[in-house]
Amino acid sequence: MPSRDDDDRPEAAKPVDGLLSLRQIEVFHAVMQARSITGASKVLNVSQPALSRTIRRIEDILGIALFLRDRNGLVPTSEALEIHAEIDPLMRQLTGVGNQIGRIARGETAIFRTGSTASVARALVPQALRDLSVEVPGIELFFDVLPVDQIEDYLIAGRGEAVVTIATSEHPLIATEVVGNADLVACIPKSHRLAVETVIKASDLQGADFVAFAAGGAHQKVVDSFLNRAGIKVNAKAVARFSDTALALANEQMGIVLVDYLTTLGPVGSNLVIRPLDNAPHFQISVLWNRRRPHSANLRKLIEILSRKLS
């Protein structure tokens, strides 16, 4: 049981089992590194009087002197040197942990896996991922190209964090954010009579040979709407599932293909010309993700990059 003399000592002078708080250890370490209160106060962004009080408090807790003063600054005692040798590795490790936490917060340690459907995979998404890699140094990127019918499974199973697409989803677990629009355009073989036109009207396409997309797909829905609105019938000579395939067939002069403008930002073939459509419908480009799964700050960065590019 403590004596009255112990109880009557000022609180600052009582030893507390030789234990220091992490903040006190940080202050002591900074003063040891700087060998001055002035230098340590700049490192810690704390006033000199506050640091001096903390050092005195540490000395009171430990019951020893830590520093002597001379004309060149503070001189650590032998006990201070021993304590510093014990805590220096700890402080270096804590600094490393702090830096790593910062990298995690900035997304620099993340593996970011995203997918897209074929048309936006040709140029838009690769360009956006390049910008993301510049914005977030150290990020590890995985990029998957998906057919539309695999989007929901890809997100629900957690194989990827997001999908960029012109398609839509009604699944209750899938969240959607529209990042921009792209017009429908015509890709026309150079040998075709319409290749000389600067703008293509729906009526110009009456009876033309066409490369179509699979019925019910995102592309074909927009194409059908555009043609049906004008009462136009075309001759579908081939059906393709992906935009790359459709362009390859059109490049072999099998017919005209109507695609979203973003498709044409990638290679389109030397035998094709791209022409805008009069009163063209447009596609919505969206980012989809699973609202029930955690997502990183890099998803928001990707959305912002895509929005800027499509503005």
Side-chain angles (χ1 to χ4, degrees), residues 189 211 245-255 257 268-272:
V211 177
T245 311
L247 288 172
L249 291 170
N251 192 58
E252 295 302 321
Q253 304 183 61
M254 290 194 66
V257 62
V268 295
S270 58
N271 292 328
L272 294 176

Side-chain angles (χ1 to χ4, degrees), residues 16-307:
V16 188
D17 299 329
L19 297 180
L20 302 179
S21 70
L22 183 58
R23 180 58 175 171
Q24 289 168 332
I25 291 172
E26 181 185 25
V27 167
F28 169 74
H29 186 262
V31 174
M32 284 293 293
Q33 296 294 102
R35 290 296 198 270
S36 76
I37 296 294
T38 302
S41 70
K42 293 178 181 178
V43 171
L44 298 175
N45 196 28
V46 176
S47 70
Q48 294 181 43
L51 282 190
S52 296
R53 287 194 298 271
T54 301
I55 292 296
R56 287 196 299 271
R57 172 63 176 155
I58 295 169
E59 290 178 325
D60 287 341
I61 290 171
L62 299 178
I64 58 173
L66 294 173
F67 297 99
L68 303 174
R69 290 185 175 275
D70 70 7
R71 72 181 83 182
N72 297 318
L74 296 179
V75 178
T77 63
S78 59
E79 291 85 359
L81 291 172
E82 286 187 55
I83 294 169
H84 181 261
E86 292 295 326
I87 68 171
D88 186 57
L90 170 65
M91 295 306 298
R92 292 181 187 277
Q93 186 175 2
L94 285 174
T95 300
V97 169
N99 291 338
Q100 185 70 358
I101 290 171
R103 292 185 67 220
I104 291 169
R106 294 189 297 272
E108 294 176 6
T109 63
I111 295 175
F112 184 64
R113 186 161 203 150
T114 189
S116 81
T117 47
S119 60
V120 289
R122 305 193 84 239
L124 175 67
V125 177
Q127 290 171 7
L129 292 177
R130 175 202 60 202
D131 291 356
L132 180 62
S133 71
V134 172
E135 205 170 298
V136 187
I139 189 174
E140 188 173 356
L141 296 171
F142 288 84
F143 180 35
D144 301 306
V145 181
L146 308 167
V148 172
D149 57 11
Q150 290 183 15
I151 290 175
E152 291 180 355
D153 180 64
Y154 181 82
L155 294 174
I156 292 168
R159 295 204 302 274
E161 191 167 334
V163 173
V164 186
T165 182
I166 62 171
T168 58
S169 174
E170 301 301 324
H171 195 287
L173 292 183
I174 304 300
T176 302
E177 183 163 339
V178 176
V179 291
N181 301 303
D183 285 349
L184 187 70
V185 298
C187 300
I188 304 172
K190 289 180 178 179
S191 59
H192 197 281
R193 61 179 176 81
L194 293 178
V196 297
E197 301 294 333
T198 55
V199 178
I200 305 300
K201 299 177 181 178
S203 58
D204 296 332
L205 301 172
Q206 179 66 40
D209 290 342
F210 250 62
V211 177
F213 291 93
H219 259 112
Q220 199 58 38
K221 284 181 181 178
V222 174
V223 172
D224 286 345
S225 175
F226 174 68
L227 296 175
N228 293 340
R229 188 173 60 203
I232 300 302
K233 300 294 184 182
V234 297
N235 178 31
K237 292 193 68 176
V239 176
R241 188 177 188 190
F242 298 112
S243 54
D244 282 341
T245 311
L247 288 172
L249 291 170
N251 192 58
E252 295 302 321
Q253 304 183 61
M254 290 194 66
I256 295 170
V257 62
L258 304 186
V259 298
D260 66 276
Y261 172 69
L262 296 175
T263 294
T264 69
L265 297 180
V268 295
S270 58
N271 292 328
L272 294 176
V273 295
I274 312 302
R275 296 291 183 261
L277 296 172
D278 184 44
N279 198 25
H282 63 256
F283 297 83
Q284 283 190 332
I285 295 86
S286 302
V287 179
L288 313 182
W289 67 92
N290 186 337
R291 64 175 79 248
R292 292 289 179 87
R293 287 186 173 272
H295 57 268
S296 67
N298 290 321
L299 173 58
R300 177 50 49 188
K301 289 186 176 75
L302 178 65
I303 289 172
E304 292 169 356
I305 290 168
L306 289 166
S307 298

